[in-house]
Amino acid sequence: MKMSTVEECAPMNKSTNQMESDISDGSSDQNAESMEVDEGPEAKAFMAEEKKSKGNVEYQKKNYKAALELYNQAIDLCPDCAAYYGNRCATSMMLGRYKEALDDARKAVSIDDKFVKGYIREGKCLLALGDVLNAERVYEHVLRMEPENNTVKEDIQITRCVKQFEESAEKDILKGDYRRALFCMDRCLQRCPQCVRFKVKKAEALCFLKRYPEARDITNDLLQSDSLNADAIYIRGLCLYYDDNVDKAFQHFQQVLRLAPDHVKAKLIYKKAKLLIQKKEEGNQAFRSGKFDDAYRIYTEALEIDPHNIYTNSKLYCNRATVCAKLNKLEQAKEDCTQAIELDGNYLKAYLRRAKCFMDLEKFEEAVQDYEKVYKIDKTRENKSLLDAAKLELKKSKRKDYYKILGIEKCASEAEIKKAYRKRALIHHPDRHSHATTEKQKEEELKFKELGEAYSILSDSKKKSRYDSGQDLEEMEGGFGDIDPNSIFQMFFSGPGNFQFSSGGQQGGYHSHGFPGGFSFQF
C-alpha cells in the first residue's frame, strides 16, 4: 500500500542559539547534580522537531523501527502536533501495524480537522483492516474537502471494488463455488492484508476445496494474534472434521459454541457431524446383525448428510459395497467402490473390495490393475498372492473357456458335463447343417470341434484339474488339436444299429458319411 511522505512541522520561533541558552551545560559547581534542564514549551518544541527530523531521515532509509521510536519521542515532547501523529501513522503502516496506525490517524485529525493526509491515512488503515464502509465514508469526506484529489478518487474506487468482491464471494460460498470465492478473497486481501474477516473466508474456501494445510496455516496465524477468535477455531475444527479427525473436530466445535453460543455455522456442522457418525454406526450394527437391506438403506441415508466429508463418505461407500456384495449386487458393489476411491485415492480397503468384485465378474484385467495398486500401497505377501492369482486368472481367461462352451458352471458334476455335451453336440453336428451356407457350415464345424475339446478336458479328472489350476497354459492356448470330435460323438451315440433322433421336421434321412456305423438323422 503506497504511503505518502512524512510531514514537516512549522519552524520554531526561537533560534537554535536561544534554545541552547535555556539549557544548562552543567559547568557550574553549585549543586551541579541537582540542577535541572529548563524544559519549557519552546525548548520541548525544539527538541521534538529535532526528533521528528531524525525520524524522517530514518523513514527515508526505511529504518521504520528507528523512525517509530524517534516519532514516539517527538510526541512525548509535543503531544498536540498533528503532523507527528501523521508521521508515526505512516511508519506504523509500513510496519503492518494498521490498528496502531488507525489510532494515530484519528488522533491527528482530531487535533487538526483540516489535516487531509491524516484523513487519507485513516481511510487506508480502515481499508487494510477490511472496514470498507468506513473507509469509503472517510474518502468521501476528503473529496468534499478536495474535490480534485485524484489519488483519493482512485482509493475510493478500490474500496468499492473490494466491497463488490466481498459481496460476490458471499454469493459464491452459498452456491458452493468455493474456487470463485477463493479468487474473490485473494483480490480483497491484496487491498486489505490485515482483514481478519477476509482471512477467515479464504480459509473456509480452502477447506471446502480440500486444501486443508493452507487453511490451517491461516487459522493458526489468526489464533496467534487472538486465541479466542471463534471463527478461526471453527475453521480449524472444520479442517479436522473433513480430514477425518473427528474427535478433535468435536472439541473445536464445542469450544466455538462456548465462546459464541449463536455461531450458526458451528452449530450446523456440529449437528451434521454427530448425525453422520451416528448413522454410520447404525449401518455397521445392521450389517453385523445380518440385516443387509437395512444396512444398505442406512448407509444411503448417511451419504446424503454431508457431501463435503470425503473421508467418511468414502468409508460409507465402501461399507455399502460390502453390503451389495452380500446381496449379490456385484455391479453396484463395484460402482460404490469406485465412488469410494474417487473420494480417497489411497483407500486400500476400497481397492481390495473392487478387485474382488472384478474377479467375481470375471473382469480380470481390471482386477489385476486394482491388485497392482493395492500392492503398490501395501507391499505384503498376502497382497502379492492376490495379485499373482489375478494375473493367473487373466491368463486363463485368454484361452478357450470350456465351461462356457458346454454352458455349465465350474462346479458341474460328471453327469452334468455329459448331459451338456450330448445336448449341444446334437445341435452343432455338421451333418445337421449340410444344407446351410458354407460360412454357416464352417461356424458349426468349429463349435462342434470345440465341444469335443471341452468334453475331452472336463470329463477327465486329471486334465480338468490341470485346466482349472492353469497348469500347462501354453500347451492349452490353442486347444487340443489331436482330439477327434467325431470319435467323442461316436462314443456317445454309436451302438448296435443306427441311432436316430427326430426334430419334428419332414420325414426322410441324412446318412452321415463321416463315421463308421452309419448314423441316421431324421428331420
Side-chain angles (χ1 to χ4, degrees):
M1 190 171 290
K2 186 179 179 181
M3 296 291 103
S4 56
T5 58
V6 294
E7 287 75 37
E8 298 290 341
C9 278
M12 298 295 101
N13 291 328
K14 272 194 170 185
S15 67
T16 302
N17 290 334
Q18 288 174 318
M19 285 288 189
E20 290 176 347
S21 67
D22 291 333
I23 301 174
S24 170
D25 61 6
S27 60
S28 173
D29 58 0
Q30 291 183 342
N31 300 320
E33 294 182 0
S34 64
M35 292 182 65
E36 296 182 357
V37 175
D38 181 5
E39 293 187 351
E42 292 182 348
K44 287 184 177 180
F46 177 80
M47 293 171 64
E49 185 66 10
E50 279 194 329
K51 296 294 184 183
K52 183 269 301 178
S53 297
K54 291 179 180 179
N56 290 354
V57 171
E58 296 299 331
Y59 183 93
Q60 295 300 327
K61 292 179 180 179
K62 298 184 179 180
N63 296 330
Y64 299 118
K65 290 186 178 180
L68 188 67
E69 179 56 31
L70 289 163
Y71 293 141
N72 286 340
Q73 294 172 19
I75 289 171
D76 289 341
L77 291 165
C78 189
D80 296 322
C81 178
Y84 294 168
Y85 288 100
N87 286 7
R88 190 168 72 174
C89 169
T91 307
S92 294
M93 291 170 73
M94 297 306 293
L95 291 168
R97 302 175 183 177
Y98 288 98
K99 290 183 179 179
E100 297 172 22
L102 179 61
D103 290 339
D104 278 345
R106 285 175 168 168
K107 179 65 175 178
V109 297
S110 70
I111 295 171
D112 180 2
D113 61 3
K114 305 297 183 185
F115 187 23
V116 173
K117 285 186 178 180
Y119 287 114
I120 293 174
R121 286 172 184 161
E122 180 184 3
K124 289 183 182 295
C125 290
L126 288 166
L127 181 59
L129 293 167
D131 192 347
V132 181
L133 295 178
N134 279 322
E136 187 177 16
R137 175 186 59 77
V138 169
Y139 287 138
E140 288 172 346
H141 178 70
V142 175
L143 286 178
R144 287 193 292 270
M145 297 171 66
E146 295 184 356
E148 301 305 318
N149 192 319
N150 291 326
T151 300
V152 175
K153 287 180 181 179
E154 291 178 6
D155 287 342
I156 201 168
Q157 284 301 114
I158 290 171
T159 303
R160 289 168 180 168
C161 187
V162 168
K163 186 163 63 174
Q164 290 174 357
F165 273 123
E166 181 179 14
E167 291 171 355
S168 177
E170 290 286 355
K171 294 175 183 177
D172 293 331
I173 288 174
L174 288 174
K175 291 187 297 184
D177 189 350
Y178 300 107
R179 198 171 300 282
R180 171 68 187 175
L182 178 61
F183 170 83
C184 292
M185 284 299 97
D186 280 336
R187 301 290 82 74
C188 289
L189 285 166
Q190 284 179 349
R191 300 295 183 179
C192 312
Q194 295 296 314
C195 180
V196 172
R197 184 175 73 260
F198 292 162
K199 289 180 179 180
V200 167
K201 288 181 181 177
K202 178 178 179 177
E204 184 177 18
L206 287 167
C207 180
F208 284 115
L209 289 170
K210 306 177 185 66
R211 293 163 61 176
Y212 306 124
E214 295 171 73
R216 279 195 292 265
D217 287 344
I218 293 174
T219 57
N220 289 343
D221 287 342
L222 291 173
L223 290 169
Q224 282 185 351
S225 302
D226 178 8
S227 62
L228 299 180
N229 186 314
D231 290 327
I233 297 170
Y234 158 72
I235 297 296
R236 193 158 71 175
L238 200 64
C239 290
L240 289 165
Y241 169 56
Y242 287 142
D243 205 20
D244 206 26
N245 197 337
V246 178
D247 291 338
K248 284 190 176 180
F250 280 178
Q251 293 173 14
H252 280 68
F253 297 146
Q254 290 163 356
Q255 184 182 1
V256 172
L257 294 174
R258 284 195 297 269
L259 293 170
D262 295 325
H263 198 289
V264 176
K265 290 184 176 180
K267 288 169 71 174
L268 178 62
I269 197 65
Y270 188 36
K271 182 179 179 181
K272 275 187 178 182
K274 290 201 297 185
L275 180 60
L276 185 60
I277 301 306
Q278 176 188 333
K279 280 288 183 183
K280 180 172 176 284
E281 184 51 42
E282 285 179 10
N284 294 348
Q285 182 59 44
F287 178 82
R288 287 192 291 266
S289 301
K291 300 176 181 178
F292 301 129
D293 289 325
D294 287 346
Y296 181 90
R297 174 182 55 79
I298 295 168
Y299 287 141
T300 303
E301 291 172 356
L303 283 165
E304 297 172 356
I305 294 172
D306 188 357
H308 295 292
N309 195 320
I310 59 173
Y311 290 114
T312 300
N313 288 342
S314 180
K315 292 174 183 176
L316 288 168
Y317 273 118
C318 191
N319 287 1
R320 195 173 74 173
T322 304
V323 172
C324 288
K326 290 288 186 181
L327 295 171
N328 202 31
K329 298 178 179 179
L330 295 179
E331 282 291 344
Q332 186 173 347
K334 179 199 71 175
E335 290 302 319
D336 276 355
C337 289
T338 299
Q339 290 288 342
I341 290 165
E342 287 180 358
L343 293 175
D344 181 1
N346 291 313
Y347 191 6
L348 187 65
K349 189 175 180 181
Y351 277 109
L352 284 166
R353 169 57 60 190
R354 190 173 70 173
K356 179 64 167 60
C357 290
F358 281 135
M359 293 291 286
D360 292 340
L361 291 167
E362 298 185 356
K363 296 182 178 180
F364 301 116
E365 288 188 7
E366 292 88 341
V368 167
Q369 290 174 5
D370 275 357
Y371 280 129
E372 284 176 341
K373 178 68 174 180
V374 167
Y375 187 62
K376 184 177 180 181
I377 295 173
D378 187 18
K379 295 183 182 297
T380 64
R381 182 178 298 177
E382 181 182 0
N383 291 336
K384 183 63 167 61
S385 297
L386 290 170
L387 174 58
D388 290 342
K391 286 181 175 179
L392 177 61
E393 290 301 321
L394 174 60
K395 197 170 185 180
K396 287 162 61 177
S397 71
K398 294 184 181 298
R399 40 170 210 183
K400 292 178 182 179
D401 188 336
Y402 291 134
Y403 291 101
K404 285 186 178 180
I405 289 172
L406 288 177
I408 57 176
E409 299 293 330
K410 291 183 178 180
C411 57
S413 65
E414 184 178 350
E416 288 171 329
I417 292 171
K418 288 181 178 180
K419 182 179 178 181
Y421 172 77
R422 180 189 297 271
K423 177 181 177 181
R424 292 191 176 227
L426 289 173
I427 293 172
H428 297 293
H429 194 284
D431 285 353
R432 188 168 189 175
H433 303 279
S434 59
H435 299 296
T437 63
T438 302
E439 184 177 350
K440 178 66 175 175
Q441 288 181 25
K442 289 181 178 179
E443 179 183 338
E444 295 299 327
E445 285 175 3
L446 178 61
K447 289 180 179 179
F448 184 68
K449 180 181 179 182
E450 288 179 340
L451 284 168
E453 289 179 8
Y455 180 77
S456 173
I457 299 302
L458 300 183
S459 63
D460 185 311
S461 60
K462 290 183 178 180
K463 290 181 180 180
K464 181 176 183 296
S465 176
R466 290 170 63 81
Y467 176 81
D468 288 344
S469 65
Q471 297 180 45
D472 301 326
L473 277 166
E474 296 300 327
E475 177 187 341
M476 295 181 178
E477 187 67 29
F480 293 81
D482 58 342
I483 294 175
D484 183 356
N486 296 329
S487 299
I488 296 174
F489 186 84
Q490 182 180 4
M491 179 182 67
F492 264 85
F493 298 109
S494 64
N498 295 334
F499 175 79
Q500 295 184 332
F501 69 88
S502 173
S503 61
Q506 66 181 37
Q507 296 298 317
Y510 175 80
H511 294 277
S512 171
H513 301 290
F515 311 111
F519 306 122
S520 175
F521 294 88
Q522 298 267 340
F523 296 101

